Amino acid sequence: LEAVRKPIDLDYLREDLKDLLHESDDGLQRVRQIVQDLKDFSHVDSGEWKAVDLNTCIKSTLNVVWNEIKFKAKVDLELGELPEVLCNAPQINQVIMNLLVNAAHAIESNGTISIRSGHDGTMVWFEIEDTGSGMSEQVRKRIFEPFFTTKPIGTGTGLGLSVSYGIVSKHAGQMDVSSTPGVGTRFRVSLPITGIPGEAPATID
């Protein structure tokens, strides 16, 4: 036993084992959370509306798209206390996902994505702001057109923002966007707390 103990450095292995088990447990918990978050994206076209916490939607969606972001930008979360809002949660998750992915794509490296949320008593809002390349006024006015994209051929369908615009419209919400070339872009989505579908169009003004 002593002859085996020295070559394999058993004492070191015993000390290191605790860290290995802890890291493995952390990894398993993260995988579990990702799987759970991915389930939130199932049945995106479901007609089920229910009261949800948008902060929870934001956090779970951020976890799903983390690989798109982590090597390009740090994320600042400034989430306020929110009342639950009646909505189709998987569809709102899709909007959040599209905005986060677009924000990551707008940043070449070492940028920042700020995610904020709040409410005014009748509307709940969240906004996603990046320090990316920004866009001109001419481009800003077209971003919700189906198939319009500024990405290279083969890297974008031009449907993400168009679909998001339609989803927000169905929720009687608003989508506001402001952008400055070379500085960055900010999207704000506002949704009625009572969740009245289809009564008002989204807007980019």
Side-chain angles (χ1 to χ4, degrees):
L1 289 175
E2 187 64 26
V4 174
R5 179 189 184 112
K6 291 182 179 179
I8 67 172
D9 200 355
L10 183 60
D11 293 334
Y12 171 78
L13 288 177
R14 289 176 62 186
E15 289 297 320
D16 198 40
L17 188 59
K18 294 179 181 178
D19 291 336
L20 290 174
L21 289 174
H22 179 69
E23 291 173 5
S24 296
D25 183 62
D26 285 347
L28 287 171
Q29 292 302 319
R30 177 160 174 76
V31 169
R32 178 179 178 273
Q33 185 62 52
I34 289 174
V35 170
Q36 182 61 50
D37 292 337
L38 284 170
K39 288 180 179 179
D40 292 338
F41 285 91
S42 63
H43 309 301
V44 171
D45 294 327
S46 169
E48 181 182 358
W49 286 56
K50 61 181 180 180
V52 300
D53 179 359
L54 284 185
N55 285 339
T56 300
C57 293
I58 290 169
K59 291 175 183 177
S60 65
T61 305
L62 180 61
N63 196 33
V64 169
V65 301
W66 184 240
N67 281 339
E68 290 275 357
I69 297 173
K70 64 181 180 180
F71 297 116
K72 303 180 71 175
K74 68 173 184 177
V75 174
D76 288 338
L77 281 175
E78 303 172 28
L79 305 180
E81 294 290 330
L82 301 180
E84 290 188 331
V85 58
L86 188 63
C87 67
N88 184 312
Q91 290 185 356
I92 297 303
N93 286 342
Q94 185 175 0
V95 173
I96 298 169
M97 179 181 67
N98 288 338
L99 295 180
L100 285 173
V101 170
N102 281 353
H105 288 173
I107 297 172
E108 289 190 8
S109 63
N110 301 320
T112 300
I113 297 174
S114 300
I115 308 172
R116 309 177 187 93
S117 66
H119 74 95
D120 62 8
T122 59
M123 303 284 283
V124 168
W125 58 266
F126 65 88
E127 63 182 23
I128 296 173
E129 183 174 6
D130 65 67
T131 57
S133 56
M135 63 184 105
S136 67
E137 183 65 13
Q138 291 77 12
V139 170
R140 188 190 73 87
K141 289 180 177 179
R142 299 190 60 193
I143 57 174
F144 295 116
E145 295 178 11
F147 305 109
F148 175 78
T149 180
T150 58
K151 297 176 183 177
I153 295 175
T155 60
T157 63
L159 289 174
L161 286 176
S162 177
V163 169
S164 298
Y165 180 92
I167 290 172
V168 174
S169 293
K170 290 179 181 179
H171 283 74
Q174 295 181 334
M175 182 179 286
D176 303 304
V177 55
S178 59
S179 185
T180 302
V183 176
T185 300
R186 179 182 58 117
F187 284 88
R188 175 179 280 210
V189 174
S190 302
L191 302 172
I193 294 173
T194 52
I196 305 171
E199 289 196 356
T203 177
I204 61 172
D205 295 331

